[in-house]
Amino acid sequence: MSVAVVGGGAAGLVAAAFAATGGAEVTLIERTADGGRKILISGGGRCNVLPSELALDRFVTDSPAHLLRGMLRSWPLPEQRAFFERDLGIPLALEEASGKLFPQSNRAKDIRDGLVAFARARGVRMQFSTSVTAIQPSTGGFTLRTSNGDLQAARVILATGGLSVPATGSDGTGLQVAAELGHRLIPTYPALTPLLGSSASGHALLSGVSLDVRLRAKPDGRMVETSGGFLFTHRGYSGPSVLDISHTVTRESRSASSASSAVTPGAMADRSVAIRAQWSALDAAAWESVFDAPSTLISSLLARHVPARLGEHLMREAGIPPDRRTSGLRRTERLSLIGHLTSYVLPVGGDEGYKKAEVTGGGVALDEVEPRTLESRRCQGLYFCGEILDAFGPIGGHNFAWAWATGRAAGLAAAEANTRTHPAP
Ligand SMILES: Cc1cc2nc3c(=O)[nH]c(=O)nc-3n(C[C@H](O)[C@H](O)[C@H](O)COP(=O)(O)OP(=O)(O)OC[C@H]3O[C@@H](n4cnc5c(N)ncnc54)[C@H](O)[C@@H]3O)c2cc1C
């Protein structure tokens, strides 16, 4: 009896390779013709394989956080790196400014092809262009209903990902299968996704302006802070700082929309979560000192710290004439301008949804699985790994780190259990 891995993305490829390394006979079933399509488009086609340091406290889950941390730590970062460099023979290079690791070749295809080749060399049988539609427990294991007929397996690893970028093969069937088998799902929402602006803000005129910012939001009373690149687009806001904080509003709008069917997905319900921007490194006290300069044009002072087009826009919104000098700046104007510069509420009108989301938030609750083996607590012999689980990390290679670590743990555990039940003759 074999181990079936459903989904040949990042987590499934690693799970299959480790299950085979652990001695199991493994079949990997993948709906696309070649698998690993998210790997191919990751990191702008360069694949940010891993971070150089793991930001454990920046991962997001609605499940107990210690479970997430334990699962991630099961495969320490240096060992993950060694797997790619030593076992797959793909040297990685550090991008100093961002702390991200990429293949030295800067080709995502090398990672995808390397993983497929490694799994094949360990004896994994690949069944591409095959969709699993249902999984039913049966005598001695499971029956998998697929688009190419039924398949039997002693153990199944579900690595079907979430709902993000459906063109890569993710359509949520795996989540549905997990629910049918009795697992508790945390409601899903797009995460690491660009946000839409509101037409009234006039921000479309700033399209193309980019700068480094600090963003803050306080969903559920907990402060979330991000910093780094911010880009005004013709539809709204993007860049690393925006992607990393987008879940604070998408999560809220999706839970509001599931409570009221009148809300269009992607459009914001009445939101209590505000994202506030500090447009430069200067906080309110620092701007107070800047505006103490004797008789200088305010616009010139702003232009030293924020792009000129943004500075002019903020002055207009704060009701300050373009020719105002520090000597003529009224106290109320000064306070209003400093508020706009350091605590600006982004007029978020929606989000780009799953089509552009790098990951899916929510999924199979982490306390539905055994922390070490990732075996389901509801359905013996079934394992989960990767994005289907209720966890995601910030951009920077953290989501692959999650996929690799949980894929390896599920693969090894399924093989170990298989050997216990069906020892070699
Ligand atoms: C544009 C983009 C860029 C990204 N860049 C990075 C990056 O640089 N670094 C990083 O760490 N993360 C990045 N990510 C996130 C990362 O790609 C995901 O976190 C990761 O791929 C999740 O792995 P997974 O195996 O769980 O899911 P997936 O990679 O989505 O794989 C799931 C697989 O299951 C298959 N499948 C689904 N349902 C079925 C079914 N019913 N039957 C058979 N097969 C099925 C799908 O075809 C797919 O191949 C990026 C994501 C996107 C969208």
Side-chain angles (χ1 to χ4, degrees):
M1 291 285 263
S2 64
V3 172
V5 178
V6 185
L13 285 168
V14 168
F18 276 93
T21 306
E25 187 190 310
V26 182
T27 305
L28 184 143
I29 305 153
E30 162 59 37
R31 69 147 24 103
T32 67
D34 49 2
R37 297 215 171 166
K38 265 196 195 108
I39 300 175
L40 292 182
I41 60 169
S42 67
R46 294 168 64 210
C47 185
N48 173 198
V49 184
L50 286 169
S52 53
E53 277 176 46
L54 211 51
L56 274 172
D57 57 344
R58 292 183 62 206
F59 274 79
V60 178
T61 182
D62 280 302
S63 309
H66 72 276
L67 293 176
L68 183 156
R69 288 196 289 269
M71 291 169 190
L72 259 174
R73 284 200 192 104
S74 70
W75 202 14
L77 216 46
E79 289 179 27
Q80 293 198 29
R81 183 172 181 171
F83 169 72
F84 285 95
E85 302 206 294
R86 185 195 56 215
D87 300 345
L88 264 58
I90 304 175
L92 303 181
L94 173 67
E95 189 179 78
E96 290 284 350
S98 64
K100 298 176 180 177
L101 292 164
F102 293 91
Q104 244 170 42
S105 65
N106 280 320
R107 280 199 310 257
K109 195 167 179 300
D110 290 356
I111 299 293
R112 196 279 305 264
D113 291 353
L115 286 167
V116 171
F118 182 80
R120 276 214 168 100
R122 294 287 177 286
V124 175
R125 202 173 73 86
M126 307 268 176
Q127 196 168 320
F128 290 119
S129 305
T130 304
S131 289
V132 171
T133 52
I135 298 176
Q136 286 153 359
S138 60
T139 324
F142 297 89
T143 302
L144 287 81
R145 310 260 177 239
T146 86
S147 52
N148 286 323
D150 290 358
L151 214 123
Q152 303 295 323
R155 298 184 181 267
V156 174
I157 300 176
L158 210 46
T160 46
L163 291 155
S164 49
V165 193
T168 60
S170 320
D171 71 350
T173 319
L175 288 162
Q176 197 186 314
V177 167
E180 281 164 7
L181 290 170
H183 298 87
R184 187 169 65 88
L185 300 190
I186 305 294
T188 56
Y189 51 92
L192 306 186
T193 190
L195 296 173
L196 301 175
S198 80
S199 50
S201 67
H203 284 178
L205 295 171
L206 296 173
S207 171
V209 169
S210 69
L211 66 165
D212 278 349
V213 303
R214 276 180 71 181
L215 300 178
R216 293 188 195 90
K218 211 171 178 187
D220 319 324
R222 280 170 300 157
M223 183 63 88
V224 177
E225 276 196 48
T226 63
S227 58
F230 179 105
L231 174 69
F232 286 93
T233 67
H234 63 286
R235 289 165 61 85
Y237 317 104
S238 192
S241 63
V242 173
L243 301 189
D244 276 342
I245 208 163
S246 60
H247 65 278
T248 60
V249 293
T250 58
R251 177 157 57 173
E252 195 197 38
S253 72
R254 290 313 187 279
S255 54
S257 63
S258 58
S260 152
S261 55
V263 180
T264 316
M268 292 291 148
D270 276 348
R271 288 180 300 106
S272 56
V273 176
I275 298 180
R276 290 177 184 273
Q278 177 178 310
W279 296 114
S280 72
L282 305 192
D283 62 11
W287 278 113
E288 287 280 6
S289 315
V290 169
F291 294 138
D292 282 342
S295 192
T296 316
L297 271 175
I298 300 291
S299 56
S300 311
L301 291 174
L302 294 194
R304 289 181 200 163
H305 301 280
V306 296
R309 271 161 72 199
L310 175 61
E312 288 157 17
H313 182 91
L314 295 175
M315 281 182 69
R316 235 182 349 265
E317 278 196 8
I320 297 168
D323 58 352
R324 181 72 87 231
R325 293 183 164 270
T326 46
S327 45
L329 191 64
R330 299 189 190 101
R331 185 71 197 149
T332 49
E333 288 175 343
R334 180 192 276 238
L335 288 177
S336 170
L337 185 54
I338 289 176
H340 279 71
L341 286 162
T342 60
S343 190
Y344 187 93
V345 177
L346 276 187
V348 175
D351 62 79
E352 295 279 12
Y354 291 114
K355 201 160 55 106
K356 296 248 175 96
E358 291 203 3
V359 292
T360 301
V364 176
L366 298 184
D367 45 13
E368 294 284 287
V369 299
E370 291 296 333
R372 188 186 67 81
T373 61
L374 301 178
E375 183 171 11
S376 161
R377 288 182 161 153
R378 310 258 163 220
C379 192
Q380 201 190 351
L382 181 71
Y383 300 77
F384 293 98
C385 56
E387 201 174 311
I388 192 172
L389 288 162
D390 168 34
F392 70 89
I395 59 167
H398 294 87
N399 288 295
F400 280 140
W402 172 256
W404 315 135
T406 54
R408 171 180 171 273
L412 286 176
E416 190 188 307
N418 211 40
T419 315
R420 264 202 320 270
T421 333
H422 307 280

